[in-house]
Amino acid sequence: MAAERKTLTQLSVPICLETLFYMLSGMVDTLMLSSVSDQAVGAVGTANTYIGVFIIMFGVISSGMIAVMSQNIGAGRPGIAYQARQLGLIFNALIGIVMSVILATFSGGILRIVSIAPALLEPAEIYLRIVGGACFLNALIPIFSSYLRVFGYTKHSLIGTVVGNVLNIILNSVFLFVFNWGVMGVAVATVISRVVNLIIVAGMGAVLIKAKQSPERIASRKIFAQIVKIGFPSALETALYNIAMTFIVRFMNQMDVDGMNVTARSYAVQIANFSYCVGAALAQANAIMTGWRIGAKEFEECNRGTRKAAIYGIITATCFSVTFALAGHFIVHIFTDDTQMINLVVKLLIVDVFLEFGRVTNLVYGQALKTSGDALFPVILGAIFMYLFAVGGTYFLGIHMGLLAVGSYIAMAGDECARAVGMVLRWKSGKWKSKGLIEV
């Protein structure tokens, strides 16, 4: 397969650019919303956190599907990879429709249950109803994008993201500054841009990839079992993470009445996401290559490739996060003139240097483990440390010790670094070598 000849750089650069455009879109959303109010920024950031909780079911299929497709491509069986995509598409479409109905119907009730700051309730409810009501798009886009990527067409997945995000920026400008729709305008622009993104990646996959014509087929029940075997633990880890974040955001909402701490987190997240953009892309590219190599039984290549991706990820993420911390006052001033808000966000960016070091290591080794078939270990590790360090630490340091948002970030950095150590040790144990999906 041509996909097997792709290098880490050839795969990761388009994925990095795709992630970068996605992050830029989020930053532009934040920048434009900050012209409305800091509360609008906090409302959208909070609503997106809870949308993430309700779309975790999509991860059951998409993460498992990548492992199944990449290993079968590596083993020279693209027809089975196509089967895996079709099963993933059907399942995610059904779950996506159900989740969309729930979020559109019960958005206000969900936000009240999690004790959102009163000042943020109304705009967050508007955003959650519109974007959450269209979250079936979040279910379908990863299926088609992953299908392109595992066959090596990362540039084409990038095109869909770039076009969608450029359109999102244009529509944001129109809806915010011409029609004065506020948070509702940002939400509508987000939905329209995702529809366009979906059309592009689905169309390109149909034109470029001819795996459907390959004769290899096995029982759909067996493929689905493999997808769930990898996908369910991966999705459970994501669920645990997102639920942990809802606790953290809830604690941060309780730190003040005007939402300053949770709004500072929203600013910090938008900025800090760029510092791990390259590392996250390397993790995704390495995961695809890990699947190919495991399918071909090239275990030593897996070791070398994963170590290389981790080193590159750590170096780049650390460089970016240090730069953002040093230039924090200038960067945050772009979003807000509130001196107290600027100082708080800068403190969060300093702590984020350590958080990103752990997070990138966690990403590279964690995704490699999942793609190899060793998906249960990361969820066990996450269940322990995310709640012991991130959630418990946010309450203890943030609320009990009075460190507020800074305490929360220290706790989250501790969680990421602790899990990173566990992931590396697990990979070095070599137990993942016996977890492959391809029977010889």
Side-chain angles (χ1 to χ4, degrees):
M1 294 294 294
E4 293 180 84
R5 295 195 294 270
K6 295 283 186 176
T7 65
L8 182 66
T9 301
Q10 289 173 323
L11 286 175
S12 63
V13 170
I15 293 175
C16 178
L17 292 174
E18 184 175 348
T19 306
L20 180 61
F21 271 97
Y22 182 81
M23 299 300 179
L24 279 171
S25 178
M27 180 171 276
V28 170
D29 279 357
T30 302
L31 181 60
M32 291 181 173
L33 277 169
S34 67
S35 68
V36 178
S37 69
D38 283 342
Q39 284 72 27
V41 174
V44 170
T46 301
N48 278 328
T49 298
Y50 297 120
I51 289 172
V53 174
F54 280 86
I55 63 175
I56 55 174
M57 282 300 297
F58 308 151
V60 172
I61 294 301
S62 58
S63 57
M65 193 184 75
I66 290 171
V68 174
M69 288 194 300
S70 60
Q71 288 195 30
N72 277 286
I73 291 169
R77 305 193 301 182
I80 298 175
Y82 172 77
Q83 272 187 285
R85 193 213 69 170
Q86 289 300 93
L87 287 170
L89 180 61
I90 293 169
F91 185 88
N92 266 20
L94 294 175
I95 297 297
I97 292 171
V98 172
M99 293 297 104
S100 293
V101 171
I102 291 173
L103 286 172
T105 305
F106 303 107
S107 54
I110 292 167
L111 292 170
R112 291 183 182 89
I113 289 172
V114 298
S115 302
I116 188 173
L120 307 182
L121 177 59
E122 183 179 353
E125 183 177 353
I126 292 171
Y127 187 88
L128 187 59
R129 182 179 297 116
I130 297 172
V131 177
C135 74
F136 66 90
L137 297 169
N138 297 78
L140 300 180
I141 291 172
I143 297 293
F144 291 104
S145 294
S146 297
Y147 189 56
L148 285 167
R149 288 174 183 167
V150 295
F151 277 95
Y153 293 106
T154 49
K155 292 180 183 177
H156 301 79
S157 177
L158 167 65
I159 292 171
T161 299
V162 170
V163 172
N165 286 331
V166 169
L167 179 62
N168 185 49
I169 292 170
I170 294 171
L171 293 177
N172 273 341
S173 301
V174 174
F175 294 154
L176 279 175
F177 305 126
V178 177
F179 296 133
N180 297 312
W181 285 359
V183 170
M184 183 182 74
V186 172
V188 172
T190 298
V191 172
I192 294 174
S193 65
R194 286 177 182 168
V195 169
V196 172
N197 191 349
L198 175 61
I199 292 171
I200 292 172
V201 292
M204 285 186 171
V207 171
L208 295 171
I209 302 172
K210 304 302 180 182
K212 180 179 180 180
Q213 300 172 6
S214 297
E216 311 89 15
R217 294 291 187 274
I218 61 175
S220 296
R221 183 183 302 173
K222 183 175 182 179
I223 297 176
F224 191 74
Q226 290 179 338
I227 290 174
V228 173
K229 176 186 174 182
I230 305 299
F232 183 75
S234 300
L236 184 56
E237 183 192 8
T238 304
L240 288 170
Y241 177 82
N242 284 330
I243 293 170
M245 289 307 302
T246 64
F247 280 115
I248 291 169
V249 170
R250 181 170 184 171
F251 288 148
M252 294 180 80
N253 273 310
Q254 294 172 2
M255 292 174 183
D256 56 71
V257 295
D258 59 359
M260 170 168 281
N261 282 277
V262 76
T263 300
R265 171 189 170 272
S266 294
Y267 284 128
V269 166
Q270 293 294 340
I271 297 168
N273 274 340
F274 288 92
S275 67
Y276 98 106
C277 176
V278 176
L282 287 166
Q284 291 179 54
N286 180 67
I288 292 170
M289 297 180 76
T290 296
W292 293 344
R293 289 162 175 166
I294 289 175
K297 306 300 180 184
E298 299 171 354
F299 298 123
E300 189 53 40
E301 285 296 315
C302 287
N303 266 323
R304 284 198 292 266
T306 299
R307 184 168 58 250
K308 177 181 177 181
I311 292 171
Y312 287 177
I314 289 169
I315 292 172
T316 52
T318 301
C319 289
F320 275 114
S321 59
V322 168
T323 300
F324 289 137
L326 293 175
H329 281 92
F330 173 76
I331 296 171
V332 183
H333 188 70
I334 297 173
F335 296 100
T336 179
D337 295 322
D338 187 328
T339 303
Q340 188 177 2
M341 179 69 74
I342 292 173
N343 290 333
L344 178 55
V345 176
V346 170
K347 291 177 182 177
L348 299 185
L349 291 175
I350 293 172
V351 179
D352 190 70
V353 174
F354 303 95
L355 190 155
E356 298 304 333
F357 181 91
R359 178 160 63 173
V360 171
T361 307
N362 198 4
L363 277 170
V364 172
Y365 282 97
Q367 289 195 30
L369 285 170
K370 293 170 194 172
T371 304
S372 72
D374 191 9
L376 189 59
F377 179 81
V379 71
I380 295 173
L381 198 67
I384 296 171
F385 288 103
M386 282 189 283
Y387 289 85
L388 182 64
F389 279 68
V391 177
T394 292
Y395 179 80
F396 180 75
L397 296 175
I399 295 178
H400 182 71
M401 298 297 293
L403 295 177
L404 304 178
V406 175
S408 177
Y409 258 61
I410 292 172
M412 288 189 288
D415 161 53
E416 292 285 0
C417 290
R419 283 192 289 140
V421 171
M423 296 290 189
V424 172
L425 292 176
R426 178 67 172 190
W427 181 263
K428 287 183 177 296
S429 75
K431 293 182 179 179
W432 51 272
K433 296 177 183 179
S434 63
K435 308 284 186 178
L437 304 174
I438 306 300
E439 299 176 357
V440 180

